[in-house]
Amino acid sequence: MITELTFAFSELVIDRSQVVRILGYEEDSLPEPFPEYLEQVMKDCFFLEDIRGAFRIIDQLQMDGNKTTFVAEGLPFKVGKTIRQELEGSSRLAFFVCTAGNTISEKSQRLLRGDDLVLGYVYDLLGSAIAEAVGDKVQQIIRHQVEKDGDRITNRYSPGYCHWHVEGQHQLFSLMGDTPCGVTLTPSALMQPVKSISGVIGIGKEVVFRDYQCELCNMPNCVFKEMHRV
């Protein structure tokens, strides 16, 4: 069964200081027009009505054998050695899709095409931050749900990171229905709306939750390395 959820912006935890840091500044040295634009975009986000998340917990799982692959409901997922190791001990898996929605995705793209590049960039960053914040909320909901069975969860891992090829999106979406929380997949495995994330979370009594370890990831120039930097 797929669980679908809708979130208000006010329900999400968005750390303004992290967004400022991604822009390349500290809060007390943020130059114009960024303070005004950031305030404008944050206020605008309170009116978003299409922030959504979906997840499905799978218990038909094979984790034995190949140390770079697992099999969920008969589908092999070639996630690579790193993610396969992080999922070690899982007896179930939660697959998820989360999105900041079409509204902010389309607005950022329109502005970036020429209306206002700087404002478009701020919308783009907030869209990414919202999608990750929805991921945090969905992860928290999954944790609370499985704790009733005495289980724990791992952190979440996504196609395109840690040697899991982005084409893995196709298998993931085949388990989530055609358009989980309104998100579709292109033939080249890109999600629409673009400000969306997907991935897997391990569940079990023996799994280990690790904070983000950016050194495990092969994604170059990832802005969210700044968000998770201590």
Side-chain angles (χ1 to χ4, degrees):
M1 182 180 70
I2 298 173
T3 301
E4 296 210 10
L5 305 156
T6 300
F7 299 97
F9 181 72
S10 59
E11 296 179 79
L12 306 178
V13 178
I14 305 289
D15 189 332
R16 176 190 163 99
S17 65
Q18 289 180 330
V19 176
V20 170
R21 194 158 62 246
I22 294 171
L23 287 169
Y25 301 96
E26 295 298 328
E27 188 72 52
D28 58 359
S29 62
L30 188 63
E32 296 294 343
F34 286 115
E36 177 185 348
Y37 278 3
L38 188 53
E39 187 70 20
Q40 175 184 334
V41 175
M42 293 285 282
K43 287 181 177 178
D44 195 16
C45 286
F46 279 94
F47 296 97
L48 295 175
E49 297 180 344
D50 50 357
I51 301 172
R52 302 168 66 187
F55 70 90
R56 182 186 178 195
I57 295 178
I58 301 289
D59 55 12
Q60 296 180 32
L61 175 65
Q62 294 173 264
M63 296 291 287
D64 298 331
N66 192 320
K67 294 299 183 181
T68 62
T69 303
F70 63 78
V71 179
E73 289 201 340
L75 287 175
F77 284 77
K78 298 179 181 179
V79 296
K81 184 177 180 180
T82 300
I83 292 177
R84 175 61 179 78
Q85 182 175 329
E86 294 299 307
L87 296 175
E88 191 67 37
S90 299
S91 57
R92 295 182 288 168
L93 295 175
F95 293 89
F96 67 87
V97 177
C98 301
T99 183
N102 265 315
T103 304
I104 193 167
S105 295
E106 291 176 353
K107 195 162 193 174
S108 65
Q109 288 180 62
R110 183 175 67 252
L111 291 166
L112 286 168
R113 283 195 295 266
D115 290 348
D116 190 326
L117 293 176
V118 177
L119 183 58
Y121 180 54
V122 177
Y123 271 105
D124 184 79
L125 285 184
L126 259 295
S128 296
I130 289 170
E132 290 292 334
V134 176
D136 290 340
K137 290 288 289 187
V138 168
Q139 185 169 302
Q140 183 182 51
I141 289 167
I142 293 169
R143 176 188 288 116
H144 290 162
Q145 182 172 319
V146 304
E147 281 177 347
K148 299 174 184 177
D149 300 321
D151 285 334
R152 299 182 291 186
I153 67 168
T154 68
N155 213 324
R156 60 183 188 270
Y157 302 97
S158 299
Y161 296 85
C162 297
H163 307 286
W164 184 5
H165 198 280
V166 70
E167 288 182 356
Q169 298 270 40
H170 290 294
Q171 290 134 305
L172 190 154
F173 269 68
S174 72
L175 295 177
M176 295 292 294
D178 292 335
T179 57
C181 59
V183 179
T184 60
L185 199 62
T186 69
S188 58
L190 298 178
M191 289 181 285
Q192 300 291 339
V194 294
K195 294 305 174 184
S196 302
I197 63 171
S198 68
V200 65
I201 295 170
I203 302 169
K205 292 179 171 52
E206 305 300 326
V207 301
V208 177
F209 184 95
R210 305 183 200 279
D211 288 329
Y212 283 103
Q213 301 177 70
C214 289
E215 69 274 9
L216 298 178
C217 177
N218 63 327
M219 189 74 172
N221 304 318
C222 174
V223 295
F224 288 99
K225 288 185 178 182
E226 289 291 340
M227 292 188 71
H228 304 299
R229 183 175 294 170
V230 177

